[in-house]
Amino acid sequence: MGADRTEHADRNGFQGGKAGKDDGDGKGDTKKVSRSFGVMALLGVLLVLAGLVGLVYTGVATLTTMFLFGWLLLAGGAVGLLQAFQSRKSNYFWLAVIVAAINIAAGFVILRRPEASAEALTMFAALLFLIGGVFRLAGGVVVRGAHFGLTLVQGAFGILLGLLILSNWPGNSLYVIGTFFSLALLFDGLSLIALGMGARRILGLVSDDGGPAASAGVPDTAAEAGETTGKRPSEDQEQSNN
């Protein structure tokens, strides 16, 4: 009987230690996830600051965007050329080589003439806004769906933005690309901040709700162990009397 009590107590102690270890591992994982979301929010703050600086110095932002674009084209062309030669037995070998060569050539041109490249990209953006607005207006008038008014507003805004860019081209090419790039950084940073802070708040609420429940489970286990241990002697006594 004494051996059974000792074995039962050891089993309860092992289960309690395992539960405590799992609880500690869960808290550690929660801290790691919370730290990761904190890093995400910090990255969002840096992007917001970069976007605000770019909106103030739009010329510098435009040139920086063009240099980044040029280097990305060079890197992409080099990687594409390497992959093409690694799979030179495929049917698309020459197509991959041509695409990689075009990317490398475009990267060199942008790095050599960033101002002229900015003018060309500004013209392309204006035409894209203009054509997209016309198609949105035409599609909204023909289809007349549930978002008819919103589609018309988007189409009119695209046409107006395209005409405004074309009316001041090429003089506005030094700040249009930089403005768009800075706005993209700004909104991306704000979304990262909102996501990181919201996730940290949710993790804090989950950990606060799970803490009392986990701690309340330990006394219940101890009480059940006490009841089982108390029942054991009475059962053994009844068997001995019989």
Side-chain angles (χ1 to χ4, degrees):
M1 182 175 64
D4 293 337
R5 291 180 182 176
T6 305
E7 182 181 358
H8 189 71
D10 293 340
R11 189 179 301 140
N12 290 333
F14 174 75
Q15 291 177 354
K18 186 177 180 182
K21 184 178 179 181
D22 293 338
D23 190 15
D25 293 340
K27 289 181 179 179
D29 294 339
T30 303
K31 288 182 179 179
K32 289 181 181 179
V33 174
S34 179
R35 192 179 300 113
S36 300
F37 283 117
V39 173
M40 182 186 297
L42 180 61
L43 179 61
V45 172
L46 293 178
L47 289 179
V48 168
L49 292 177
L52 293 176
V53 172
L55 289 176
V56 175
Y57 302 99
T58 53
V60 177
T62 299
L63 293 179
T64 304
T65 304
M66 299 313 300
F67 280 118
L68 287 175
F69 188 45
W71 282 112
L72 285 175
L73 286 176
L74 279 179
V79 172
L81 195 62
L82 181 61
Q83 290 180 350
F85 279 104
Q86 287 179 352
S87 60
R88 54 183 175 274
K89 294 182 180 180
S90 64
N91 297 326
Y92 303 100
F93 169 71
W94 289 109
L95 179 62
V97 170
I98 292 173
V99 172
I102 291 174
N103 287 333
I104 292 174
F108 273 119
V109 170
I110 290 175
L111 291 177
R112 295 271 300 180
R113 301 285 301 276
E115 294 86 359
S117 301
E119 293 179 1
L121 280 180
T122 303
M123 172 65 75
F124 177 76
L127 293 177
L128 187 64
F129 283 124
L130 190 60
I131 296 173
V134 170
F135 274 98
R136 281 182 183 275
L137 279 179
V141 171
V142 172
V143 176
R144 293 182 179 272
H147 304 285
F148 173 70
L150 181 61
T151 304
L152 291 182
V153 171
Q154 289 178 347
F157 182 76
I159 292 175
L160 180 61
L161 187 58
L163 291 176
L164 285 176
I165 294 174
L166 287 177
S167 63
N168 294 322
W169 187 85
N172 57 2
S173 59
L174 288 179
Y175 60 85
V176 169
I177 301 297
T179 301
F180 288 159
F181 184 70
S182 300
L183 288 175
L185 289 178
L186 181 62
F187 287 112
D188 287 341
L190 290 175
S191 62
L192 286 179
I193 291 173
L195 179 61
M197 298 302 293
R200 282 174 63 90
R201 190 178 299 111
I202 292 173
L203 286 175
L205 293 175
V206 170
S207 61
D208 290 341
D209 292 339
S215 62
V218 177
D220 294 338
T221 306
E224 291 176 359
E227 291 177 0
T228 307
T229 307
K231 290 178 181 179
R232 258 310 180 58
S234 61
E235 293 176 359
D236 293 337
Q237 186 176 2
E238 289 177 0
Q239 291 178 359
S240 62
N241 292 332
N242 294 329

